[in-house]
Amino acid sequence: MKKETLDYVIEKTHVLMNAASCSSEAKAAAQSWLDAVGTANEAAETKKYIAELEADIMPINNLIGFADSEAGVKCFGAELAKNIAAHAREIKAAGAGYCDCPACTAVAEILARKTELL
């Protein structure tokens, strides 16, 4: 892997880990990957990291469905859930395929370099 790609993904991984919206599973996978960089385990951890990121990124339709659901209202509160659903519909109409929260944005940026990582 090119140093430029590695540096970029390391930077975006730190952004991901610092995002309030980052899941504990993604955070753990990110840390495991960072710990493996430059070791014999790097390739295996990279595959695990990519798999976790692909599982965690929130497709826009799933976000809309969740925000509009009873579970979304319980999670976010009625007003915030309504606002999240409206925002998600706006970005979907503009062409977004995924949530644009800080964690999903970082994941999308990392996954854009997936072929360079593997």
Side-chain angles (χ1 to χ4, degrees):
M1 165 182 349
K2 294 180 184 176
K3 181 176 177 358
E4 174 190 336
T5 300
L6 181 62
D7 291 346
Y8 178 85
V9 174
I10 288 171
E11 176 188 337
K12 295 302 175 181
T13 296
H14 287 290
V15 171
L16 170 64
M17 293 173 72
N18 290 322
S21 51
C22 182
S23 72
S24 59
E25 297 85 1
K27 211 173 267 193
Q31 188 60 60
S32 292
W33 179 76
L34 287 170
D35 292 344
V37 169
T39 73
N41 294 329
E42 183 176 341
E45 286 300 322
T46 299
K47 288 178 185 176
K48 290 179 191 175
Y49 185 37
I50 295 297
E52 182 62 39
L53 297 180
E54 290 175 334
D56 279 9
I57 194 165
M58 177 68 73
I60 197 68
N61 288 333
N62 292 11
L63 177 60
I64 293 167
F66 181 70
D68 280 340
S69 74
E70 187 176 312
V73 171
K74 285 181 182 177
C75 179
F76 300 122
E79 189 64 26
L80 183 55
K82 178 181 165 187
N83 292 342
I84 289 171
H87 172 74
R89 284 186 182 89
E90 286 176 24
I91 65 171
K92 179 182 177 183
Y98 295 99
C99 172
D100 67 345
C101 75
C104 286
T105 298
V107 168
E109 291 168 340
I110 293 167
L111 290 177
R113 300 280 182 105
K114 176 182 169 179
T115 57
E116 298 170 56
L117 289 169
L118 299 175

